Amino acid sequence: MEFDDQEASSNVEDRRGFGAVGLGGIGLGGIAILVIGYFLGVDPSQLLNLAQQVSVPQQEAPAQHTGPVTDETGHFVAQVLGSTEQVWSGVFEEKGETYAKPHLVLYDGATASACGMGRAAMGPFYCPNDERVYLDLAFFRDLRTRFHAPGNFPEAYVIAHEVGHHVQKLMGISDKMDQLRGHVSRSEFNRASVRLELQADCFAGVWANRAGNRARITDQDIEQGLAAASAIGDDRLQRESQGYVVPESFTHGSSEQRVRWFKRGIESGRVGDCNTFATRSL
Ligand SMILES: [Zn+2]
């Protein structure tokens, strides 16, 4: 994909190089937490609170760079965010509504969020309380090396997936999920969480469909994106990390399911085709 004339979003907050808590290099343990944080844990608040206990206090307002992000990767992220803003503004307009754009925070190491302290080891996440996507660019390296997802389209897919969670928040879907918490069994909650995650994958596909020509998304990009979706399915991650698969503990869906819903969004480009809550077979 190429973004020659894509306007960069002005909603990127660059906190890199400020107030970061060094992790002293991510070892094996760090990588394990990263996988749990982004791919397995739909409930970042728990992880965040945990992380907070060992991190700097939340009250410390992080210093932040304002103005356009100028480095290559940062600029690319801002362009992807800009592209999602255009696509989702259009979708909301079609329904006679206005899309409230989320912010995206670039950070290294650790940073404060309204969901608690965000740490790079948790991977990218969306905090519904402050409507911000949190991204440490070290994760892009993991995409290439650990998850064998080269090219910039998998990176865009990760951002589009997190923005998908923002769209769910605006549509009131995440609130419904929150109401389930504590009222249903753990495995039932996990099942709902899988539907929420697969819908975010489908929404990422809707973005890819609608951004397609402008972002010059090629068939090869799609292949790489689907390979990334497959690499981060719960079944594959569990098999890699623990050697066996426990479907009741899935919170994001299997590789096959993630590919299927991402693909459905890419092919249809319609939000209505992403109703993962209304289907019997995922
Ligand atoms: Zn997610």
Side-chain angles (χ1 to χ4, degrees), residues 36-117:
I36 292 164
Y38 169 67
F39 297 118
L40 307 180
V42 72
D43 183 7
S45 60
Q46 281 184 1
L47 271 165
L48 285 159
N49 290 335
L50 196 80
Q52 210 171 348
Q53 292 163 13
V54 293
S55 274
V56 294
Q58 199 182 337
Q59 301 83 278
E60 260 179 44
Q64 117 190 13
H65 161 93
T66 46
V69 189
T70 49
D71 64 292
E72 199 185 326
T73 312
H75 182 65
F76 171 72
V77 169
Q79 283 184 308
V80 173
L81 189 66
S83 174
T84 63
E85 287 170 351
Q86 283 171 349
V87 164
W88 288 110
S89 294
V91 171
F92 276 64
E93 236 164 64
E94 284 166 20
K95 301 189 294 170
E97 292 168 23
T98 308
Y99 177 62
K101 299 169 186 168
H103 281 225
L104 185 150
V105 177
L106 285 175
Y107 70 103
D108 3 73
T111 196
S113 87
C115 297
M117 185 58 62

Side-chain angles (χ1 to χ4, degrees), residues 210-268:
R210 292 177 174 242
N213 287 338
R214 179 125 198 232
R216 288 204 250 139
I217 296 172
T218 63
D219 288 346
Q220 197 198 356
D221 289 326
I222 304 286
E223 287 304 314
Q224 286 174 346
L226 293 174
S230 171
I232 58 186
D234 283 337
D235 50 347
R236 211 151 125 185
L237 288 175
Q238 283 188 354
R239 194 169 290 119
E240 277 173 25
S241 63
Q242 65 194 28
Y244 55 94
V245 175
V246 186
E248 309 85 76
S249 69
F250 285 3
T251 53
H252 281 68
S254 68
S255 293
E256 196 198 336
Q257 289 170 332
R258 297 199 72 164
V259 166
R260 190 181 310 137
W261 285 96
F262 184 36
K263 214 170 174 174
R264 180 179 292 202
I266 292 174
E267 282 164 3
S268 105

Side-chain angles (χ1 to χ4, degrees), residues 38 161-162 165 197 200 252:
Y38 169 67
H161 172 98
E162 298 305 333
H165 285 311
E197 289 302 324
H252 281 68

